[in-house]
């Protein structure tokens, strides 16, 4: 684990250095105009990268160096590395992207690859929902630019000027030839106009289907989260599930606000003429060549988001659970002494409880996981001075603390007096297995979702091949 932690931290640092080098090229001087992400957004992304990426990876390294290579430390490596790599991708996405113009070419970079487009092929330049510029062209391509991008206004102004100039030059040239190019242009215009008219006529149905689909996705996600958290709480009585349940309340209002915003903005595109409308929604017509491929690409993106996301979550839940094992009873050693106090140790989700013995510098804690099976009558039946015995793991090194003369703490797996057992080994074992099963169940569910995503991708490919054979309209 130590080697893995060092390797992950090194990978993050090297990846960050590589991104810094990448973003320096090409330079703005190589273009007439080049946009860039705002310093505020870059700063926020960097902040989260160093706090949650580098920070968690350093924490995992420190924990392993201070407590040793134990199975329960694996979660720090996984969470630190996972958040770090995820944050690194955001750094790459935000810092590397730009749009630029040089001559009659547009250059767009997302992640690493720089794509080149002819300005003469651009068909639409729209300002969508008062926050994003959407540019589309033929053969089918498109890209969006956020309004907060530095230099976006100058970029759009120059792009429109070049587009209008090239369009007028192209029209002038076509008038001087024998009519073939004019016929092709008219044919494309007629097809797009027809598609636009059909879309406008069927818009109420399109709007209903889109809003219904959006509502269904929101509902499935929301009620799935709500049902899962309630089921987790009632099956384990674990407070963290209840916290997730209460988080569903603000989440519902966020969903509602997003849905109402989407609903409000539907119909604004109808202000465009039929040709523009037809071009924007040409792939909604199943007979247009490329429509099946477009749908398949959307399916790939959707499947990758859910499939890879579920796989990562499943691994984060499953690896610690599958690799963990309970403390063996033969490894337990007994510590006896006079009972002095029992205190609650607050935590964000669950509370541990600690037992202190007179003249003993170590505090013995009962984890929140085991406390469910701990006899709560202990507080009333055991008084100061009572001799109690606790059993601890002989292979676990105590952790340093500073509390009223106590300098370390470790977990207790059995707690008893001469007359009664308040926490048995069997109870600890049941608590451990119940908690492990939760992680295993989550792993199985997430892996099943990933598997279903792969099956769905295969089905989408079959549909794509069948539908592509029925496409007859070429634009």
């Amino acid at each position: 684990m130590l080697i893995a932690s060092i390797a992950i931290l090194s990978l993050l640092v090297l990846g960050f250095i590589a991104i810094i080098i990448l973003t320096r090229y090409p330079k703005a001087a190589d273009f007439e105009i080049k946009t860039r992400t705002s310093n505020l957004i870059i700063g926020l992304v960097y902040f989260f990268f160093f706090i949650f990426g580098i920070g968690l990876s350093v924490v995992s390294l420190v924990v392993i160096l201070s407590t040793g290579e134990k199975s329960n430390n694996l979660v720090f490596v996984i969470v630190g590395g996972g958040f770090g790599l995820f944050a690194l991708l955001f750094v790459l996405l935000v810092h590397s992207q730009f749009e630029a113009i040089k001559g009659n070419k547009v250059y767009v970079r997302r992640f690493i690859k720089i794509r080149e487009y002819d300005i003469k092929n651009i068909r639409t330049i729209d300002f969508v929902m008062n926050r994003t510029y959407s540019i589309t062209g033929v053969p089918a391509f498109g890209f969006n630019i956020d309004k907060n991008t530095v230099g976006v206004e100058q970029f759009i102004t120059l792009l429109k000027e070049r587009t209008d100039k090239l369009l007028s030059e192209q029209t002038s040239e076509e008038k001087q030839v024998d009519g073939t190019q004019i016929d092709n242009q008219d044919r494309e215009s007629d097809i797009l106009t027809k598609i636009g008219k059909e879309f406008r006529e069927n818009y109420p149905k399109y709007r209903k289907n889109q809003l219904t689909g959006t509502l269904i996705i929101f509902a499935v996600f929301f009620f799935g989260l709500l049902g899962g958290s309630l089921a987790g709480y009632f099956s384990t009585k674990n407070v963290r599930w209840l916290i997730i349940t209460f988080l569903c309340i603000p989440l519902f209002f966020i969903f509602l606000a997003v849905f109402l915003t989407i609903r409000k903005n539907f119909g604004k595109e109808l202000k465009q003429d039929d040709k523009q409308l037809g071009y924007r929604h040409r792939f909604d017509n199943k007979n247009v060549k490329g429509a099946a491929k477009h749908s398949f690409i959307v399916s790939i993106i959707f499947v990758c988001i859910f499939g890879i996301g579920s796989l990562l979550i499943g691994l984060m839940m499953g690896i610690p659970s599958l690799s963990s094992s309970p403390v063996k009873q033969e490894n337990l050693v007994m510590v006896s002494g006079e009972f002095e106090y029992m205190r609650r140790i607050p935590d964000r989700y669950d509370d541990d409880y600690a037992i202190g013995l007179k003249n003993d510098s170590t505090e013995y804690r009962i984890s929140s996981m085991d406390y469910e099976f701990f006899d709560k009558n202990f507080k009333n039946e055991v008084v100061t001075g009572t001799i109690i015995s606790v059993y601890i793991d002989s292979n676990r090194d105590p952790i340093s603390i500073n509390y009223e003369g106590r300098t370390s703490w470790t977990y207790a797996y059995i707690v008893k007096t001469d007359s009664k057992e308040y926490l048995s080994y069997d109870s600890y074992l049941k608590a451990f297995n119940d908690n492990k099963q939760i992680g295993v169940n989550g792993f199985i569910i997430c892996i099943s979702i990933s598997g279903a995503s792969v099956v769905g991708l295969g089905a989408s490919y079959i549909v794509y091949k069948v539908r592509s054979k029925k496409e007859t309209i070429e634009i």
Side-chain angles (χ1 to χ4, degrees):
M1 282 188 290
L2 179 61
I3 295 176
S5 183
I6 294 174
I8 289 173
L9 183 58
S10 301
L11 178 64
L12 294 179
V13 173
L14 291 174
F16 180 75
I17 294 173
I19 290 173
I20 296 299
I21 295 174
L22 174 69
T23 53
R24 292 183 179 275
Y25 302 98
K27 298 180 179 180
D30 297 334
F31 306 100
E32 296 176 56
I33 187 169
K34 180 185 176 186
T35 65
R36 62 178 176 83
T37 307
S38 70
N39 292 332
L40 175 61
I41 296 176
I42 291 178
L44 288 173
V45 172
Y46 273 26
F47 174 80
F48 282 104
F49 170 70
F50 280 106
I51 295 297
F52 294 102
I54 299 294
L56 286 174
S57 295
V58 171
V59 167
S60 70
L61 184 60
V62 172
V63 169
I64 293 172
L65 289 174
S66 59
T67 64
E69 296 197 28
K70 300 179 179 180
S71 59
N72 57 346
N73 288 337
L74 183 61
V75 65
F76 289 100
V77 179
I78 296 172
V79 173
F83 271 102
L85 293 174
F86 189 70
L88 188 65
L89 285 176
F90 266 98
V91 171
L92 176 60
L93 172 64
V94 169
H95 204 162
S96 65
Q97 68 178 18
F98 71 84
E99 301 81 25
I101 297 175
K102 183 178 181 180
N104 294 329
K105 302 284 186 179
V106 173
Y107 300 87
V108 179
R109 181 164 71 188
R110 302 291 185 262
F111 285 107
I112 298 176
K113 185 175 182 179
I114 299 177
R115 299 184 181 275
E116 179 182 313
Y117 304 108
D118 288 324
I119 293 179
K120 66 180 181 181
N121 291 331
I122 290 176
R123 291 291 183 269
T124 63
I125 303 174
D126 299 319
F127 191 48
V128 183
M129 296 177 63
N130 296 324
R131 62 185 302 270
T132 303
Y133 289 98
S134 177
I135 294 94
T136 60
V138 291
F141 72 84
F143 57 92
N144 296 327
I145 311 176
D146 187 86
K147 71 174 183 178
N148 296 313
T149 301
V150 177
V152 64
E153 297 296 339
Q154 296 90 329
F155 176 86
I156 294 297
T157 299
L158 181 59
L159 183 61
K160 288 181 177 179
E161 290 176 357
R162 292 285 164 84
T163 303
D164 294 340
K165 179 182 178 182
L166 290 173
L167 181 61
S168 61
E169 290 177 354
Q170 184 179 4
T171 302
S172 177
E173 290 175 0
E174 289 175 349
K175 289 179 179 180
Q176 298 175 22
V177 297
D178 58 4
T180 303
Q181 290 179 309
I182 297 177
D183 290 341
N184 289 337
Q185 190 74 23
D186 289 342
R187 176 182 172 277
E188 178 186 308
S189 179
D190 290 342
I191 293 174
L192 292 176
T193 300
K194 182 180 179 181
I195 293 174
K197 286 181 178 179
E198 291 177 355
F199 177 81
R200 196 183 299 276
E201 292 172 359
N202 297 322
Y203 183 77
K205 182 179 178 180
Y206 170 82
R207 180 179 183 274
K208 180 181 177 181
N209 291 339
Q210 292 293 312
L211 291 177
T212 301
T214 303
L215 193 59
I216 289 174
I217 293 174
F218 281 173
V220 169
F221 181 81
F222 175 78
F223 287 109
L225 182 63
L226 179 62
S229 60
L230 287 174
Y233 174 73
F234 287 117
S235 62
T236 65
K237 301 299 181 182
N238 195 311
V239 178
R240 71 183 64 186
W241 292 109
L242 199 59
I243 293 175
I244 295 176
T245 302
F246 284 118
L247 287 176
C248 289
I249 297 175
L251 191 62
F252 170 79
F253 287 103
I254 293 174
F255 281 167
L256 182 62
V258 171
F259 177 76
L260 292 177
T261 301
I262 293 174
R263 184 173 179 269
K264 179 182 178 182
N265 285 284
F266 259 104
K268 289 186 176 181
E269 60 184 344
L270 294 180
K271 297 177 181 179
Q272 299 174 334
D273 59 36
D274 290 335
K275 181 181 176 181
Q276 286 181 308
L277 201 60
Y279 181 79
R280 180 170 292 280
H281 291 278
R282 63 196 184 283
F283 289 137
D284 290 332
N285 189 318
K286 296 181 180 180
N287 295 320
V288 173
K289 289 188 176 182
K293 182 179 180 180
H294 181 266
S295 298
F296 181 57
I297 292 174
V298 172
S299 299
I300 291 176
I301 296 173
F302 185 80
V303 165
C304 286
I305 291 174
F306 279 88
I308 297 176
S310 297
L311 179 62
L312 291 175
I313 294 173
L315 292 176
M316 291 177 66
M317 296 177 67
I319 291 177
S321 297
L322 294 172
S323 62
S324 63
S325 57
V327 177
K328 295 180 179 180
Q329 192 166 8
E330 56 264 29
N331 291 335
L332 297 179
V333 295
M334 183 182 72
V335 178
S336 296
E338 294 184 23
F339 174 72
E340 182 175 352
Y341 68 84
M342 183 176 187
R343 71 184 181 105
R344 180 173 65 90
I345 303 173
D347 187 69
R348 181 177 297 179
Y349 303 113
D350 299 310
D351 297 335
D352 286 348
Y353 287 82
I355 294 174
L357 304 180
K358 289 183 179 179
N359 302 319
D360 192 335
S361 60
T362 300
E363 191 175 65
Y364 304 97
R365 296 186 181 181
I366 303 166
S367 74
S368 57
M369 179 179 69
D370 300 336
Y371 191 70
E372 178 184 351
F373 299 94
F374 183 75
D375 190 338
K376 309 304 186 295
N377 292 320
F378 180 91
K379 296 179 180 179
N380 300 322
E381 296 174 354
V382 179
V383 297
T384 303
T386 302
I387 300 297
I388 65 171
S389 300
V390 295
Y391 289 74
I392 63 175
D393 184 3
S394 58
N395 295 325
R396 181 186 178 95
D397 296 326
I399 299 174
S400 298
I401 59 169
N402 183 15
Y403 176 78
E404 296 186 1
R406 269 67 184 182
T407 58
S408 62
W409 70 269
T410 190
Y411 281 117
Y413 300 93
I414 299 176
V415 179
K416 64 181 182 179
T417 63
D418 292 338
S419 59
K420 187 175 181 179
E421 192 171 46
Y422 290 92
L423 177 64
S424 66
Y425 181 78
D426 289 340
S427 296
Y428 154 72
L429 205 58
K430 178 173 174 50
F432 177 87
N433 289 329
D434 287 350
N435 189 67
K436 180 174 182 176
Q437 192 60 47
I438 293 174
V440 172
N441 290 342
F443 173 75
I444 293 173
I445 292 172
C446 290
I447 294 301
S448 299
I449 294 174
S450 297
S453 299
V454 174
V455 174
L457 187 60
S460 297
Y461 180 75
I462 294 174
V463 172
Y464 155 63
K465 299 300 289 185
V466 172
R467 282 183 53 187
S468 62
K469 295 178 181 179
K470 299 179 181 179
E471 296 171 348
T472 57
I473 302 175
E474 184 171 2
I475 300 176

